Amino acid sequence: MKLKVLNHPLIDFYMTMLRSKDTQSSKFRFLAKKVTSLMAFEIFKDLKVLPKTIETPLDKHNGVTLNNQKPCIISILRAGLIMSEGITDVFDEVSIGHIGMYRDENTLKPINYVKKLPSDLNNRQCFLCDPMLATGGSAISAIKTLKQHCASDIKLVCLLASDPGIKKVHDNFPDVKIICAQKDDKLNENGFILPGLGDAGDRIFET
Ligand code: PRP
C-alpha cells in the first residue's frame, strides 16, 4: 500500500476545524500540530528498532531500542515547520532537515531557496513533511533533492493531499509511500486543493 489516509474520527474532527475559514491563525497552528502529533502513530509504524533486553523491578523484559541511525524529519518550508513540531512533540529522537521552496503563483512551479539536510540520508528513514500536496510539484522537487542526497527510504507526510498530487508523486516515484490525514479529489484552476483548507503557509504564519 503506497497510500495511507488516516481515517480516524479524532483526526476528522480536528481537520474539520482546521479547514474552516472561521479558524484563526493561532488555532490553525494548534490544530495542524495536533493532527500531525496524532499521525505519529502511523508515521512511525515501521520505525526501525533493535531488540533490547532490560530488567523490570521483577523480571527480564525483551524490549526494543532505536538503531544507530536516527530517522530524519525533513520539512518543506515554510508550512512544513509546523509538522516537524507536531512530530517532535511526541518523538524527539530525530534529525531535522529543511528544504525551502515556494510555488510561483503564475507557473505553479516550485522555486528553491534553501536546503539544509542531515548527513547519511542513505542509511536513514526519511519523512518528508508538508501540510499540502496539491499539484505535487513541490513534493516531487523535494523528493528529487533527497534522492540526490542518496535517500532511499522516503515517506511523504501531509495533512491534506489531492488525488492529482498523489498520482503525480506515484507516477514519478512509485517507491514513495504517502501518509495523509485526509485527501480531496480536485484542484481549482489556481492549483489549490478543493475544498481544501486554503493556503496553509499563510494561515499558519498569518501572512
Ligand atoms: C504550499 C504547500 C506546499 C505547496 C503545495 O506551499 O505548503 O509546499 O504549496 O503545492 P504543490 O503540490 O502544487 O507544489 P507554498 O508554495 O504556498 O509556500 P509556503 O509554505 O511558504 O506558504
Side-chain angles (χ1 to χ4, degrees):
M1 283 293 288
K2 287 294 168 192
L3 172 67
K4 175 71 187 178
V5 185
L6 263 287
N7 274 333
H8 189 286
L10 205 48
I11 286 181
D12 293 345
F13 170 67
Y14 286 127
M15 284 296 288
T16 303
M17 287 196 275
L18 187 88
R19 285 169 179 266
S20 168
K21 68 179 173 51
D22 296 325
T23 299
Q24 303 302 309
S25 252
S26 60
K27 187 77 187 278
F28 190 94
R29 285 195 285 273
F30 168 83
L31 291 165
K33 270 177 72 171
K34 173 78 79 187
V35 173
T36 310
S37 296
L38 290 171
M39 291 176 73
F41 212 66
E42 179 68 33
I43 295 169
F44 293 114
K45 202 171 73 172
D46 302 316
L47 185 67
K48 288 185 182 140
V49 290
L50 300 170
K52 179 176 181 175
T53 301
I54 52 104
E55 291 189 14
T56 75
L58 299 175
D59 203 351
K60 285 196 161 105
H61 166 71
N62 296 322
V64 298
T65 187
L66 299 175
N67 74 11
N68 291 330
Q69 296 285 356
K70 287 181 180 176
C72 292
I73 306 301
I74 298 107
S75 301
I76 301 183
L77 305 181
R78 296 172 296 167
L81 284 172
I82 203 81
M83 297 189 71
S84 60
E85 287 180 30
I87 289 174
T88 52
D89 276 356
V90 289
F91 179 60
D92 207 17
E93 299 294 329
V94 295
S95 303
I96 301 178
H98 298 97
I99 297 176
M101 63 176 68
Y102 64 90
R103 232 172 33 156
D104 181 285
E105 285 176 7
N106 297 313
T107 65
L108 299 184
K109 297 263 182 298
I111 314 287
N112 290 272
Y113 58 85
V114 73
K115 178 183 71 180
K116 202 78 185 169
L117 295 170
S119 57
D120 297 334
L121 288 190
N122 50 324
N123 293 319
R124 309 223 214 173
Q125 292 179 287
C126 296
F127 300 90
L128 180 63
C129 296
D130 192 328
M132 314 281 291
L133 173 62
T135 66
S138 305
I140 286 170
S141 171
I143 294 167
K144 273 186 194 153
T145 301
L146 294 182
K147 289 195 176 251
Q148 280 160 6
H149 285 75
C150 302
S152 59
D153 183 349
I154 303 170
K155 291 189 176 67
L156 175 61
V157 184
C158 309
L159 296 182
L160 188 58
S162 76
D163 279 333
I166 292 166
K167 181 174 184 316
K168 197 161 159 191
V169 169
H170 281 157
D171 284 350
N172 282 271
F173 301 109
D175 58 312
V176 171
K177 181 171 181 180
I178 300 173
I179 303 170
C180 59
Q182 292 188 334
K183 79 178 180 71
D184 286 348
D185 52 2
K186 349 183 240 294
L187 300 172
N188 71 9
E189 63 284 3
N190 298 318
F192 277 88
I193 303 175
L194 282 181
L197 50 75
D199 185 316
D202 284 345
R203 294 192 70 182
I204 291 166
F205 297 106
E206 209 166 7
T207 47

